[in-house]
Each structure stands twice: as structure tokens, then as C-alpha cells.
Amino acid sequence: MRVVYMGSPDFAVKPLEALIAAGHEIAAVITQPDRPRGRGGKVLFTPVKEAALAHNLPILQPARINEPEAVAEIAALAPDILVVVAFGQLLKKPLLALAPFGAVNIHGSLLPYYRGAAPIHWAIINGEKETGVTIMYMDEGMDTGDMIASMQMPLFDNYNVGDVYEKLSEMGAELLLQSLRDMEAGVVKRTPQNHAIATYAPLLKKEHEEIHWEKTAEEVHNHIRGMYPFPTVHTMYQGKRLKIGASVVAEEVTMVGMPGQVLAVEKEKGVLVACGKGSIWLKLVQPEGKKMMAVQDFICGYGIKAGDYLGRA
């Protein structure tokens, strides 16, 4: 097929490369405009743009994909299909109706659950035991179109967002290729979503990054892994921000304390912190102004001890 591909983050790179490897013709890659990032304000390309450049593919970066000029430019490419993966903009009817095979999307959840911007994060934060990826026809709603195919995977309690992103990106690429084969063969199936049971995964905001120690140990642990490696959660320690990258729910049930209280500091196991119910061992932390480090290095360098508190300025 002749494909116009729309995507921006790392999650969208493997499906693009799978299309190329399978022999599909990429008429153009459309990605978000270059923007300054980080403290230095350095202008960086999206991961999808980097991949497109590596394959010498035509690249378009309209600020607003639904503007008439952008729609006309895409129409002039005469694509058979639009493939959209974590692009960052909703498509309106003129674009959706532009290609003979329509527009399809890879979504990182088992629709109709976790529609929206951050399905992988919220599935982990909410302690789900499984997730998956769905190929769907796009309509003007937020992930509301008919489903083509889906694939499941377990969410083990040691998986973080980075782990699941990697796995679902690979699964999505595989499922996309099969879906395109089915379309070309005329055997693709459309399954309407059950909108009555839909759930949502809203855009992550700054307030979602703060740890609330009054929650249960399982909830705090899920919050930590559901936000790592991006955007990462934080707490306060000695008046400074401390990011947390990894934890383990403690098996110890005899030690209790106030939420956020350090119960024990052990070189082998880490820093044990009390939650509203139960406690967790911190395994990976990042003091303010430093890089992420193993908790053993933090113990040696920062003098944290039993009786200290996290979450208090």
C-alpha cells in the first residue's frame, strides 16, 4: 500500500519501520513540529522524524494537521491509507475520508478501555493485570472508531511504563501489518466499540507526578512504575525534590509508621517507607539536580535514616 504515516514519539517508530520492512510505500511521514525541550531549550526532532530521516523519507510537520493547506498537501500524495500512531492531533472528516482504505490507528490499550492520551500509564497506575493494543478505524471521536484487531499482554507488577511501551509498540507493529494484509485481501472485520463500558486515560498533568504516601503500598508502587521512565513521580526530602524510579512492595508487616516515614535503611534492600497501609522499599531515586541512581548510592551520599520523613518540605 501507499501509506501516509503520522506519528511522533518512540512508540510510533517500530510500526513505521515495520511498514518499510514489509515493502509498503511511505509517501510521507507527518510528525509534530520541532520544539525546544529541556532546560537548555535545545530544539529536538521527534523520534519519528529521526527514523524518517534515517530512511530518507519525505517529512511534513504542519502545526495544525486539519488546516486546508495541510489537507491539500496530503491529498496530493494520493495515499491508499493513513496510518496514525500517537501523532498528537485529532483528525477531522476531510482527512479521514481522504484515502480509499481510510485512516487506521494503533492504540495502546484494549479498547474501549483507556481511551485517550495516556492509556499505558493509567493502566499501570490503576493496577490492571492485563493490557494490550488495538488496531482501529479512526473517526472524529477520541479513540471511538470501529476495532479491527487487538492483542493482549499481562501486566506483571514489576513492569513499568518503559517496559510496556516497548512491548506494545512491537505488538502494534505486528498487528498493523496483519490488518493491512486483511484489508488488501478484503477480509478485514469491523467491530463497533461498546461505548457504554468505555473508560478514559486523561493527559498527565503536573499534579499526577506527586506521591501520596497515605495511599496503600500497592497503590504507591503502581504510581511509581506507572510514571517511569517518563514523566516520573516525586516526593520531598529535606526540603528538596526527590524523584522515585523504582520500588518493591515490602513483605514486612510488623513495622508500621506514619505515611511517608522512613522505617528502615538497609544497604541490601534499600529505604523502607511507610504508606497508608503497608510499606515499600525504594530501589531507584534521583535527588534534585542529580541523575537517577541506585538507592544504595543515595544511602551512602545523603545520610537518610530511620525516622526521617518523605513528602514533607
Side-chain angles (χ1 to χ4, degrees), residues 10-241:
D10 287 317
F11 186 76
V13 172
K14 286 185 178 178
L16 173 59
E17 292 181 336
L19 288 171
I20 296 167
H24 291 282
E25 180 186 0
I26 309 301
V29 170
I30 303 177
T31 191
Q32 295 284 33
D34 305 332
R35 293 189 176 96
R37 303 173 192 273
R39 291 182 179 178
K42 183 179 179 181
V43 176
L44 299 177
F45 298 160
T46 68
V48 164
K49 182 175 179 178
E50 295 279 8
L53 288 170
H55 291 281
N56 297 311
L57 298 173
I59 299 168
L60 302 177
Q61 295 180 272
R64 295 178 177 84
I65 193 66
N66 295 293
E67 289 293 319
E69 296 83 0
V71 175
E73 193 168 12
I74 296 167
L77 296 169
D80 295 319
I81 192 168
L82 307 183
V83 174
V84 184
V85 186
F87 174 55
Q89 298 184 47
L90 288 175
L91 275 57
K92 294 184 179 179
K93 191 171 291 185
L95 271 177
L96 295 172
L98 185 150
F101 284 91
V104 298
N105 174 249
I106 301 177
H107 186 72
S109 80
L110 297 172
L111 291 171
Y113 304 112
Y114 292 102
R115 295 173 176 172
I120 300 174
H121 292 81
W122 285 108
I124 297 173
I125 291 169
N126 291 339
E128 301 288 358
K129 298 304 180 185
E130 69 173 16
T131 187
V133 66
T134 304
I135 310 295
M136 54 170 275
Y137 283 107
M138 298 181 69
D139 59 19
E140 290 189 279
M142 174 68 78
D143 304 319
T144 54
D146 291 349
M147 299 177 292
I148 299 169
S150 64
M151 189 180 296
Q152 296 173 299
M153 65 165 282
L155 273 180
F156 299 117
D157 64 7
N158 63 330
Y159 281 179
N160 61 33
V161 162
D163 299 326
V164 181
Y165 256 72
E166 184 78 11
K167 295 176 187 299
L168 290 187
S169 181
E170 293 175 357
M171 290 166 57
E174 175 186 342
L175 206 56
L176 173 66
L177 294 183
Q178 181 59 57
S179 297
L180 295 190
R181 288 192 292 269
D182 289 346
M183 288 180 188
E184 290 181 300
V187 297
V188 71
K189 296 180 180 179
R190 300 181 69 127
T191 304
Q193 294 187 45
N194 183 349
H195 303 301
I197 62 172
T199 60
Y200 293 87
L203 190 69
L204 294 169
K205 299 179 180 179
K206 287 293 182 184
E207 56 261 36
H208 296 135
E209 298 175 19
E210 183 180 355
I211 293 177
H212 296 281
W213 294 106
E214 68 274 12
K215 293 187 175 182
T216 69
E218 288 78 12
E219 289 172 332
V220 174
H221 172 64
N222 290 339
H223 188 198
I224 291 169
R225 67 193 184 94
M227 298 284 275
Y228 186 79
F230 52 91
T232 313
V233 294
H234 66 265
T235 187
M236 299 297 292
Y237 175 63
Q238 295 183 345
K240 293 186 177 181
R241 184 170 293 191

Side-chain angles (χ1 to χ4, degrees), residues 256-276:
V256 295
M258 296 296 291
Q261 183 179 6
V262 176
L263 301 177
V265 176
E266 297 182 19
K267 262 297 191 66
E268 294 298 318
K269 298 179 102 175
V271 175
L272 183 66
V273 185
C275 301

